[in-house]
Amino acid sequence: MRGSGQPWLRILGWALFIVGMTMFFINAEALMNGDAVECDGSPMRPGQWCVSFSGGESLSYDEEKQNEARGELVGYAGVGLSALGIVVFISNEITTRRGHRKG
């Protein structure tokens, strides 16, 4: 019985799940911080600058806050993609099993 459904739907489901989880885990820190703004793990306050010695760039508190908000949005989008992947995978399995019962 297994493998007789739509293989491209199974692949799509897994791909959505994997991409979504990757997006979530890459941005998990932004999701868990809440409203906190951090620079290399240290909390920032308005008016402070975050200086990165490896990249040579410096970001203001507001720029860092925007980056954190963007990361949070991408993390939540990852959760949505993962959920969609699970739905696609499960619906394909249900459709496959119903097809085997009728035939």
Side-chain angles (χ1 to χ4, degrees), residues 40-51:
D40 292 330
S42 301
M44 288 181 69
R45 292 186 311 270
Q48 287 185 321
W49 286 80
C50 179
V51 179

Side-chain angles (χ1 to χ4, degrees), residues 45-67:
R45 292 186 311 270
Q48 287 185 321
W49 286 80
C50 179
V51 179
S52 173
F53 294 104
S54 60
E57 67 175 327
S58 59
L59 299 172
S60 70
Y61 173 85
D62 293 328
E63 291 169 329
E64 197 66 40
K65 188 171 184 169
Q66 285 177 344
N67 287 343

Side-chain angles (χ1 to χ4, degrees), residues 13-76:
W14 280 111
L16 287 171
F17 180 76
I18 291 169
V19 169
M21 283 289 98
T22 302
M23 289 170 61
F24 172 77
F25 285 116
I26 287 174
N27 295 289
E29 183 181 351
L31 289 169
M32 303 305 164
N33 278 346
D35 291 335
V37 178
E38 295 182 349
C39 175
D40 292 330
S42 301
M44 288 181 69
R45 292 186 311 270
Q48 287 185 321
W49 286 80
C50 179
V51 179
S52 173
F53 294 104
S54 60
E57 67 175 327
S58 59
L59 299 172
S60 70
Y61 173 85
D62 293 328
E63 291 169 329
E64 197 66 40
K65 188 171 184 169
Q66 285 177 344
N67 287 343
E68 296 255 345
R70 190 175 306 114
E72 189 174 2
L73 181 64
V74 171
Y76 284 126

